[in-house]
Amino acid sequence: MSTMTLKEALGYADRAIAKAKEMGLAISLVVIDEFGQLVQLDRMDGAPLMSPDLAEAKALTALNFKQPTSQVAKLRAAELAAVQQVVHFKIVPLAGGQPIYRGGELAGAIGIAGATGAQEDAIAKHAISA
């Protein structure tokens, strides 16, 4: 498995920013590699100050659960609370995080924050669809 390159992460970020602008939104986005390491972080002008932290937590949640964060949100609260006591990252079971698969293998994840859950999901899906 090859690691997420900066060029790939910038492509995801560019598509996410373009989609957010098209939707009239100011968001933050984070792209992480398959090890959970930060590759790219952007905060658009006017995006909420806490949105970069939320975007990173969503990306880590999507990566570790290997599914969109909107699906993680469907897990029982007690299960999530138990897992949160053990893991070394903050689980954020809110829409806006998507795992990134390359050739059927988990290559990283993207997290979007600063809009509604449906808008964040749309932006994340658009960013990784190309």
Side-chain angles (χ1 to χ4, degrees):
M1 175 187 326
S2 62
T3 191
M4 173 79 59
T5 66
L6 179 59
K7 182 178 180 179
E8 290 172 307
L10 288 171
Y12 296 131
D14 288 346
R15 287 188 292 278
I17 290 169
K19 185 66 173 175
K21 284 181 180 178
E22 176 186 305
M23 297 169 74
L25 301 170
I27 53 102
S28 288
L29 69 96
V30 166
V31 178
I32 58 175
D33 67 14
E34 70 272 24
F35 303 110
Q37 296 299 304
L38 180 67
V39 181
Q40 181 66 30
L41 182 150
D42 288 288
R43 181 179 162 271
M44 294 174 66
D45 296 341
L49 295 178
M50 67 180 164
S51 60
D53 294 333
L54 285 170
E56 185 171 13
K58 289 178 183 185
L60 285 165
T61 301
L63 179 76
N64 283 280
F65 282 85
K66 297 181 181 180
Q67 60 184 316
T69 50
S70 57
Q71 291 300 115
V72 175
K74 295 177 182 178
L75 297 175
R76 291 187 357 212
E79 292 170 343
L80 288 175
V83 173
Q84 183 64 75
Q85 297 296 315
V86 178
V87 298
H88 297 283
F89 68 96
K90 297 291 184 191
I91 298 171
V92 178
L94 302 172
Q98 292 283 330
I100 299 171
Y101 285 92
R102 187 187 319 124
E105 295 203 24
L106 187 61
I110 187 168
I112 308 291
T116 68
Q119 292 168 328
E120 292 167 354
D121 268 349
I123 293 167
K125 288 176 184 175
H126 176 80
I128 65 174
S129 66

